[in-house]
Amino acid sequence: MAKERLFNRNFLLVLAGNFLLFFAFFTILPVLPLYMQQEYNATHTEIGVVLSLYTITALVIRPFAGFMLDSLPRRPMQLIFYVAFAIIFCTYIIPGGVILFAILRALHGLIFGFITVANSTVAIDVLPSSRRNEGIGYYGISNNLGMALGPTISFTTYTFFGSYDALFICAFVACAVGFLMVSMVK
C-alpha cells in the first residue's frame, strides 16, 4: 500500500499561513518593551504587566476556543480570527497610553490563543490520517521558523525605517498574506 502524500496543497497552505502568523507575532515581540518605553514612557513594571497580558489571555481562551471550534464551523471561525489578528497590528499605530495599549495587547492575546488552536485543528483536518504525527512535527517547525526569523526581520526593519509603525505594518502584511494562504485551503 502506497503512503499518502504528506505535503499536499492544503497542508502547504496551512504551514505557510501558520508560519506567517508566528512570524508576524515574533516580528513585533522583541521591540515592544522599547516601543512602550519610548512612546508611552512606561515603567518596567507597566511593560512587564502589559506584555504578560497577551500570554495570559492567550492561555485563558484556548480551552474555550477548542470547544467553539468543535461546536461551530471551523473554517469561518479560523478566517474571522485570522483577519482579527492581522487588524490588531494596525491598531498599535493609534496614539494612546499604556492603558489602551494594555487593552489592545490583551485582546490580541485572546485572538492569538483562538487562531493558534484553529490553525492546529485545520492542520490536523487536512493531514492524511496515516501521516498526522509527522505532519504535526512539520507544523511545529513552521512555528519555530517564525520565531527564528521574526526578531531578525524586526530589528532589520526598524534599523532601515527607524519606525515602529513600519514594524506594525510589516506584521500586518505578513498576516494578510498568511490569511490569503489559509483562505485557499479546501
Side-chain angles (χ1 to χ4, degrees), residues 58-71:
L59 289 171
V60 167
I61 196 65
R62 283 195 168 111
F64 303 104
F67 175 77
M68 288 173 62
L69 288 164
D70 284 341
S71 303

Side-chain angles (χ1 to χ4, degrees), residues 56-68 81 109-115 117:
I56 291 166
T57 56
L59 289 171
V60 167
I61 196 65
R62 283 195 168 111
F64 303 104
F67 175 77
M68 288 173 62
F81 278 89
L110 283 171
I111 295 167
F112 181 76
F114 193 96
I115 190 59
V117 172

